[in-house]
Structure formats: C-alpha cells, structure tokens
Amino acid sequence: MATKTENKIIVAIDGYSSSGKSTMARDLASRVGYRYIDSGAMYRAVALYALEHDMISADGSVDETALIGDLDKIRIDFELQADGTQHTTLNGVDVEREIRQLRVSSVVSPVATIVAVRHRLVALQQSMGESRGIVMDGRDIGTTVFPDAELKIFVDASPQTRAQRRFTELVEKGAQVSYADVLANVVHRDEVDRTRAESPLRKANDAIAIDNSHMTREEQSAWLLEQFNRVISRKK
Ligand code: CDP
C-alpha cells in the first residue's frame, strides 16, 4: 500500500526575477498543505553574509576565496511565524526584511554564480525535499535540484511588468527606490542568471511554460492548482 509520502509530489517553479513565482508557489503550498521553500532567499542570505563581512567591493566583485572559506559558518533556516509565513534566518537571526532590499538584490546574482555556493545550497535544498510534499521556487529547481519533480513550471513575464511588481512591493514596504533602478536590476539579474556556467536559468524540457503578464494573482493560482490536481489524479 502506498504511504502518504509516496503520494506527495515535488513541485518545481522556476523563472525570471520578480515573475511572481514565489506568490504562486506560496499560494499552492498553503492550498494543498505542502511546505514552501524559497530557494532565492537562501542565495540572498549568503549574499547578505558576504556584504556584512566586507567580502564585496564597491565595484560589486565578490571575494570568492573568503566566502568559500566561510561556507561552513553560514547556517540558513526558515522559521514559521504565527501568521503562517516563513522568515529566513541567517545564523539564527531573522533577516527576512534585509534580504529583500535592493542592496542585496544588487549583489546576489554574482554570489549565485559561485560553484561552491551553489553546491552547498543545492544539497541543502535536496535534503529539504527528501520526504516530498514540497513546493520550491528558484532558477534551477526543475533542472538541477529536483530533475525528477513530478510538476515543473517555468514562469515568465515582460521585464517591465516584473519591475513594476517588484517596485510596488518595495514601495509598499517603505523602501526608497526608483522604478528605473528596479528595472535595471531585474534586467541585469536576468542576464547574469541566464549566462552563468553552473546551472544557468533555463526552462527544463518537461516544464510547463506560463507567461503571467496579464494574469491576476487569483488566475495564476487557480491555473497552478489545476496543473497540480492533474498530476495528482494521474498518480492515484
Ligand atoms: O524574488 P526574485 O525573483 O527577485 O529573486 P529570488 O528568487 O529571490 O532570487 C534571487 C537571486 O538568487 C536570483 O537572481 C539568482 O541569481 C539567485 N538564485 C539562483 O541562482 N538559483 C535559485 N534556485 C534561486 C535564486
């Protein structure tokens, strides 16, 4: 007889920066009772560690040797909050707000090109998915972290739509940013993520592509739930 775990699947959601992946992933996880993991938050936490330890120079270059030397000292976790959301912690400190700031967004993609950083975080992400029942979003989840995920989605939207969404989100949180800076960051991160040597951002062959430029949050969540139910019904 199949156990509960065997019936649970892995949902991998990849796509471009600020494409609404996290919102879709979070909505699905809460609807179906799965755990949601934001893999980007893990790269952001490593980038914050590098910033806090002066490992990033003014021109944006990363002291890779120092950062790799410190990888054993970097502990990243997710802490469940009373309201059901999860906060990222870095060595026991809640860094959820800080990792979303533009100063972290500006340096995270070069940090995420470092092979040793990726290997460390991919191993951690794979261990989080051991008992399945997980929705994880990122750039390489369907290609590298969980190539055997039962449901893979690749999300895209125009750079302007994505920048507008991120700009609104940051302003709502009280950040002092300009739309132009946010758009420049989105376009730059797309380029770095797409062209890096180690697990670059690309759609897995078996991923379902969706452009959500003209979809509301409700529409995209309903669409994803439909995809999920289709896979689950085939498993029964
Ligand atoms: O939320 P947003 O789309 O702005 O980005 P994120 O998911 O928080 O990821 C931040 C950065 O981490 C990305 O631009 C990538 O450079 C990197 N990342 C990655 O390389 N691989 C992942 N699985 C997730 C994020």
Side-chain angles (χ1 to χ4, degrees):
M1 199 180 79
T3 65
K4 254 189 143 160
T5 304
E6 280 162 359
N7 280 329
K8 288 191 169 176
I9 65 167
I10 291 184
V11 182
I13 305 189
D14 290 304
Y16 288 96
S17 69
S18 319
S19 58
K21 304 179 298 292
S22 313
T23 308
M24 278 174 94
R26 213 178 287 117
D27 283 356
L28 179 69
S30 78
R31 288 283 288 272
V32 302
Y34 276 22
R35 184 168 186 212
Y36 164 63
I37 298 290
D38 175 356
S39 71
M42 300 162 88
Y43 289 93
R44 287 172 176 274
V46 174
L48 178 64
Y49 181 94
L51 275 172
E52 284 178 342
H53 290 79
D54 296 326
M55 294 173 181
I56 301 185
S57 50
D59 69 356
S61 57
V62 186
D63 183 343
E64 294 195 15
T65 313
L67 182 55
I68 293 168
D70 266 12
L71 280 181
D72 281 340
K73 296 185 194 158
I74 303 177
R75 200 166 32 83
I76 298 164
D77 275 307
F78 294 101
E79 229 168 54
L80 193 61
Q81 306 299 297
D83 66 359
T85 60
Q86 294 187 82
H87 281 193
T88 313
T89 62
L90 171 61
N91 292 334
V93 177
D94 185 333
V95 292
E96 188 56 39
R97 266 182 81 91
E98 270 184 283
I99 59 168
R100 307 293 165 192
Q101 291 171 359
L102 202 51
R103 81 177 180 114
V104 174
S105 304
S106 305
V107 299
V108 62
S109 286
V111 167
T113 63
I114 302 170
V115 174
V117 169
R118 302 205 68 82
H119 286 179
R120 177 64 61 106
L121 294 188
V122 167
L124 190 57
Q125 290 151 9
Q126 287 171 334
S127 72
M128 291 172 162
E130 254 161 20
S131 47
R132 309 192 91 75
I134 195 169
V135 183
M136 191 177 289
D137 77 331
R139 302 290 187 286
D140 60 343
I141 311 305
T143 52
T144 305
V145 181
F146 298 121
D148 64 340
E150 290 85 347
L151 177 59
K152 298 182 187 179
I153 308 291
F154 191 84
V155 194
D156 198 3
S158 71
Q160 289 75 14
T161 303
R162 292 186 281 120
Q164 185 59 52
R165 285 176 183 158
R166 183 52 48 93
F167 175 67
T168 307
E169 194 178 286
L170 286 167
V171 169
E172 275 169 3
K173 285 181 184 161
Q176 305 267 324
V177 285
S178 75
Y179 169 78
D181 284 349
V182 174
L183 177 62
N185 176 254
V186 161
V187 171
H188 178 66
R189 276 198 291 140
D190 286 356
E191 180 63 15
V192 178
D193 292 347
R194 217 175 15 220
T195 56
R196 69 175 174 233
E198 178 78 8
S199 50
L201 168 65
R202 69 171 180 84
K203 178 186 163 303
N205 293 335
D206 51 350
I208 306 167
I210 178 175
D211 183 323
N212 65 2
S213 299
H214 303 291
M215 287 172 104
T216 63
R217 176 176 179 165
E218 288 69 30
E219 282 167 348
Q220 65 175 21
S221 291
W223 176 85
L224 183 57
L225 185 63
E226 223 178 276
Q227 305 306 316
F228 176 86
N229 286 335
R230 187 179 44 76
V231 173
I232 291 291
S233 65
R234 266 202 256 121
K235 271 183 82 79
K236 281 184 184 153

Short mmCIF file of all heavy atoms in Angstrom, two decimals, residues 43-65:
data_model
loop_
_atom_site.label_atom_id
_atom_site.label_comp_id
_atom_site.label_asym_id
_atom_site.label_seq_id
_atom_site.Cartn_x
_atom_site.Cartn_y
_atom_site.Cartn_z
N TYR A 43 20.03 32.10 -1.39
CA TYR A 43 21.12 32.81 -2.08
C TYR A 43 21.22 34.24 -1.55
O TYR A 43 22.31 34.79 -1.37
CB TYR A 43 20.90 32.80 -3.60
CG TYR A 43 21.13 31.43 -4.18
CD1 TYR A 43 20.07 30.53 -4.34
CD2 TYR A 43 22.41 30.99 -4.51
CE1 TYR A 43 20.28 29.24 -4.83
CE2 TYR A 43 22.63 29.71 -5.00
CZ TYR A 43 21.56 28.84 -5.16
OH TYR A 43 21.78 27.57 -5.63
N ARG A 44 20.06 34.84 -1.27
CA ARG A 44 20.06 36.20 -0.73
C ARG A 44 20.73 36.23 0.65
O ARG A 44 21.44 37.18 0.97
CB ARG A 44 18.62 36.73 -0.63
CG ARG A 44 18.02 37.09 -1.98
CD ARG A 44 16.53 37.44 -1.87
NE ARG A 44 15.99 37.86 -3.15
CZ ARG A 44 16.03 39.11 -3.60
NH1 ARG A 44 16.53 40.07 -2.86
NH2 ARG A 44 15.55 39.41 -4.79
N ALA A 45 20.48 35.21 1.47
CA ALA A 45 21.08 35.18 2.81
C ALA A 45 22.61 35.05 2.72
O ALA A 45 23.35 35.70 3.47
CB ALA A 45 20.49 34.03 3.63
N VAL A 46 23.09 34.25 1.76
CA VAL A 46 24.54 34.12 1.58
C VAL A 46 25.11 35.47 1.11
O VAL A 46 26.17 35.91 1.57
CB VAL A 46 24.90 32.99 0.57
CG1 VAL A 46 26.38 32.96 0.28
CG2 VAL A 46 24.44 31.64 1.12
N ALA A 47 24.38 36.13 0.21
CA ALA A 47 24.84 37.45 -0.27
C ALA A 47 24.89 38.46 0.87
O ALA A 47 25.83 39.26 0.97
CB ALA A 47 23.91 37.94 -1.38
N LEU A 48 23.89 38.39 1.77
CA LEU A 48 23.88 39.31 2.92
C LEU A 48 25.08 39.03 3.82
O LEU A 48 25.75 39.95 4.29
CB LEU A 48 22.57 39.16 3.70
CG LEU A 48 22.45 40.03 4.95
CD1 LEU A 48 22.45 41.52 4.59
CD2 LEU A 48 21.17 39.69 5.74
N TYR A 49 25.38 37.75 4.01
CA TYR A 49 26.55 37.39 4.83
C TYR A 49 27.81 37.99 4.20
O TYR A 49 28.64 38.59 4.90
CB TYR A 49 26.68 35.86 4.91
CG TYR A 49 27.84 35.40 5.75
CD1 TYR A 49 27.67 35.08 7.09
CD2 TYR A 49 29.14 35.31 5.21
CE1 TYR A 49 28.76 34.68 7.88
CE2 TYR A 49 30.22 34.91 5.98
CZ TYR A 49 30.02 34.60 7.31
OH TYR A 49 31.09 34.22 8.08
N ALA A 50 27.94 37.87 2.88
CA ALA A 50 29.12 38.40 2.20
C ALA A 50 29.21 39.92 2.36
O ALA A 50 30.29 40.47 2.60
CB ALA A 50 29.08 38.01 0.73
N LEU A 51 28.05 40.59 2.27
CA LEU A 51 28.03 42.05 2.44
C LEU A 51 28.46 42.43 3.86
O LEU A 51 29.29 43.32 4.06
CB LEU A 51 26.61 42.60 2.22
CG LEU A 51 26.15 42.90 0.81
CD1 LEU A 51 24.66 43.24 0.81
CD2 LEU A 51 26.94 44.06 0.20
N GLU A 52 27.90 41.71 4.83
CA GLU A 52 28.17 42.03 6.24
C GLU A 52 29.62 41.75 6.63
O GLU A 52 30.12 42.28 7.61
CB GLU A 52 27.24 41.22 7.15
CG GLU A 52 25.83 41.77 7.17
CD GLU A 52 24.87 40.93 8.02
OE1 GLU A 52 25.20 39.76 8.32
OE2 GLU A 52 23.81 41.47 8.37
N HIS A 53 30.28 40.87 5.86
CA HIS A 53 31.67 40.54 6.19
C HIS A 53 32.66 41.15 5.21
O HIS A 53 33.77 40.65 5.05
CB HIS A 53 31.83 39.01 6.28
CG HIS A 53 31.13 38.43 7.48
ND1 HIS A 53 29.76 38.22 7.50
CD2 HIS A 53 31.59 38.09 8.70
CE1 HIS A 53 29.41 37.76 8.69
NE2 HIS A 53 30.50 37.66 9.44
N ASP A 54 32.21 42.25 4.59
CA ASP A 54 33.08 43.02 3.68
C ASP A 54 33.72 42.16 2.59
O ASP A 54 34.90 42.35 2.27
CB ASP A 54 34.17 43.76 4.47
CG ASP A 54 33.57 44.79 5.41
OD1 ASP A 54 32.54 45.39 5.02
OD2 ASP A 54 34.11 44.97 6.52
N MET A 55 32.96 41.23 2.07
CA MET A 55 33.51 40.37 1.02
C MET A 55 33.10 40.84 -0.37
O MET A 55 33.38 40.18 -1.37
CB MET A 55 33.02 38.93 1.22
CG MET A 55 33.56 38.29 2.48
SD MET A 55 32.78 36.71 2.75
CE MET A 55 33.56 36.20 4.27
N ILE A 56 32.42 41.99 -0.42
CA ILE A 56 32.00 42.52 -1.71
C ILE A 56 32.54 43.94 -1.84
O ILE A 56 32.26 44.80 -1.00
CB ILE A 56 30.46 42.49 -1.84
CG1 ILE A 56 29.99 41.03 -1.69
CG2 ILE A 56 30.03 43.09 -3.18
CD1 ILE A 56 28.55 40.76 -1.89
N SER A 57 33.32 44.17 -2.88
CA SER A 57 33.92 45.51 -3.02
C SER A 57 32.96 46.47 -3.70
O SER A 57 31.91 46.06 -4.21
CB SER A 57 35.25 45.42 -3.77
OG SER A 57 35.05 44.70 -4.94
N ALA A 58 33.33 47.74 -3.71
CA ALA A 58 32.45 48.79 -4.22
C ALA A 58 32.05 48.54 -5.68
O ALA A 58 30.93 48.89 -6.09
CB ALA A 58 33.13 50.14 -4.08
N ASP A 59 32.92 47.91 -6.46
CA ASP A 59 32.58 47.65 -7.87
C ASP A 59 31.73 46.38 -8.03
O ASP A 59 31.44 45.95 -9.15
CB ASP A 59 33.85 47.57 -8.72
CG ASP A 59 34.69 46.32 -8.41
OD1 ASP A 59 34.32 45.56 -7.49
OD2 ASP A 59 35.70 46.10 -9.10
N GLY A 60 31.36 45.77 -6.91
CA GLY A 60 30.46 44.60 -6.96
C GLY A 60 31.17 43.26 -7.05
O GLY A 60 30.52 42.22 -7.06
N SER A 61 32.50 43.28 -7.10
CA SER A 61 33.18 41.97 -7.21
C SER A 61 33.24 41.28 -5.84
O SER A 61 33.38 41.92 -4.79
CB SER A 61 34.57 42.12 -7.83
OG SER A 61 35.32 43.02 -7.07
N VAL A 62 33.11 39.96 -5.89
CA VAL A 62 33.00 39.17 -4.66
C VAL A 62 34.33 38.50 -4.36
O VAL A 62 34.98 37.95 -5.25
CB VAL A 62 31.91 38.06 -4.85
CG1 VAL A 62 31.65 37.32 -3.54
CG2 VAL A 62 30.62 38.66 -5.40
N ASP A 63 34.74 38.55 -3.08
CA ASP A 63 35.95 37.84 -2.65
C ASP A 63 35.57 36.37 -2.47
O ASP A 63 35.17 35.93 -1.39
CB ASP A 63 36.46 38.45 -1.34
CG ASP A 63 37.77 37.80 -0.88
OD1 ASP A 63 38.10 36.71 -1.39
OD2 ASP A 63 38.44 38.40 -0.02
N GLU A 64 35.67 35.63 -3.57
CA GLU A 64 35.18 34.25 -3.58
C GLU A 64 35.92 33.37 -2.58
O GLU A 64 35.32 32.53 -1.91
CB GLU A 64 35.34 33.64 -4.98
CG GLU A 64 34.46 34.31 -6.01
CD GLU A 64 34.33 33.51 -7.29
OE1 GLU A 64 34.69 32.32 -7.31
OE2 GLU A 64 33.86 34.09 -8.28
N THR A 65 37.24 33.56 -2.48
CA THR A 65 38.04 32.72 -1.58
C THR A 65 37.55 32.88 -0.15
O THR A 65 37.36 31.89 0.57
CB THR A 65 39.53 33.10 -1.69
OG1 THR A 65 39.85 33.19 -3.07
CG2 THR A 65 40.43 32.10 -1.02
#
